[in-house]
Amino acid sequence: MDDPSPQALERHAIELCEGAADQVRGRLVDPHSVSSKSTVTDLVTETDRRTEAWLTERILATRPADGILGEESGARQGDSVVRWVVDPIDGTVNFVLGLPNYAVSVAAELRGRIVAGAVCAPVTGETFHAHLGGGAYLAGARLTGPRDVPLDRAVIGTGFGYDRGVRARQAAVVAELLGQVADIRRLGSASLDLCAAAAGRLDGYFEAALNYWDYAAGLLIATEAGCLASGLRGNPPAAAMTAVAGRGCAAALFALLERLGADRVIDEP
Ligand code: LIP
């Protein structure tokens, strides 16, 4: 299992993701096992920690020289050209509340570039996956991205940070955006929002202040499905701003987000 080809890494990402989703599926949240991280609303559960430990153990059992970056345990230096970027439960607040929109996200970097990824939703059993240049798939069907609609008919996904001040500024952006689009969806999991765009269930998605593990796999899946992607103002998509959309509304959406300062909500006004 030391083949670092994007195809082999995609197969491994699928296996890891689906195995981790089995660890999460059906687990009831013990309220006493829920704690917070960056703010009181940034939750983490014992299942998050156990699932990431399971992922780490499986990766090291099959590819012991690889590096790992995980939401809960941080970075583990490797000696190979591959690093795994994992989020054991993306959408933890949904998981705690018993809402179905959460997923395991596993991405593989090859020499620092994401070349393979999988996102598996334990509740629906759906596994979205892609490798660089290979297209994006769900249940064997190739994903072809969003509808070809103009911005005023587009349904756009977004999300909000855990910091109260950032959230207030993000709300101001959404308040302006809502009058320019058909509707907004806030589903609570960046990885599944990106996969929704890939599957044509959203016409676009944007979010500021994400973590790398939130979007690493989903962004590859969205772009391999044909979504246009941007970090706004000529920047590549990144933690500061991740935006994807279909061709029919991408240019108008990205320009509007720039005008509204959607990528500048992190900085105090
Ligand atoms: C979540 C993201 C979501 C964002 C939430 C949170 P987590 O990740 O997937 O898009 O809006 O604030 O960051 O914390 O559940 O792994």
Side-chain angles (χ1 to χ4, degrees), residues 7 66 68 83 87 99 128 228 267:
Q7 296 87 330
D66 290 359
I68 302 172
R83 180 173 73 153
D87 189 341
L99 291 169
F128 304 83
L228 300 181
D267 313 314

Side-chain angles (χ1 to χ4, degrees), residues 81-238:
V81 292
V82 174
R83 180 173 73 153
W84 297 89
V85 182
V86 302
D87 189 341
I89 300 180
D90 180 46
T92 297
V93 173
N94 285 348
F95 173 65
V96 169
L97 293 173
L99 291 169
N101 219 53
Y102 54 89
V104 178
S105 178
V106 176
E109 280 179 347
L110 179 61
R111 297 183 185 87
R113 183 179 186 185
I114 296 290
V115 297
V119 173
C120 182
V123 174
T124 65
E126 292 181 317
T127 301
F128 304 83
H129 57 93
H131 71 263
L132 191 62
Y137 290 85
L138 169 64
R142 182 144 188 172
L143 300 177
T144 56
R147 303 177 298 173
D148 187 5
V149 293
L151 189 60
D152 64 357
R153 287 187 40 220
V155 177
I156 303 297
T158 192
F160 307 114
Y162 290 118
D163 174 89
R164 193 184 298 272
V166 171
R167 229 172 24 248
R169 292 189 286 278
Q170 289 173 310
V173 169
V174 168
E176 286 296 317
L177 184 73
L178 197 48
Q180 311 290 321
V181 299
D183 209 340
I184 291 288
R185 292 289 184 274
R186 197 294 194 248
L187 301 172
S189 166
S191 58
L192 285 180
D193 289 337
L194 288 159
C195 291
R201 299 172 183 173
L202 286 173
D203 299 309
Y205 162 75
F206 74 97
E207 188 161 352
L210 285 175
N211 290 299
Y212 185 33
W213 43 75
D214 292 327
Y215 70 86
L219 180 60
L220 177 70
I221 292 164
T223 53
E224 284 297 318
C227 290
L228 300 181
S230 176
L232 304 188
R233 303 181 212 278
N235 297 309

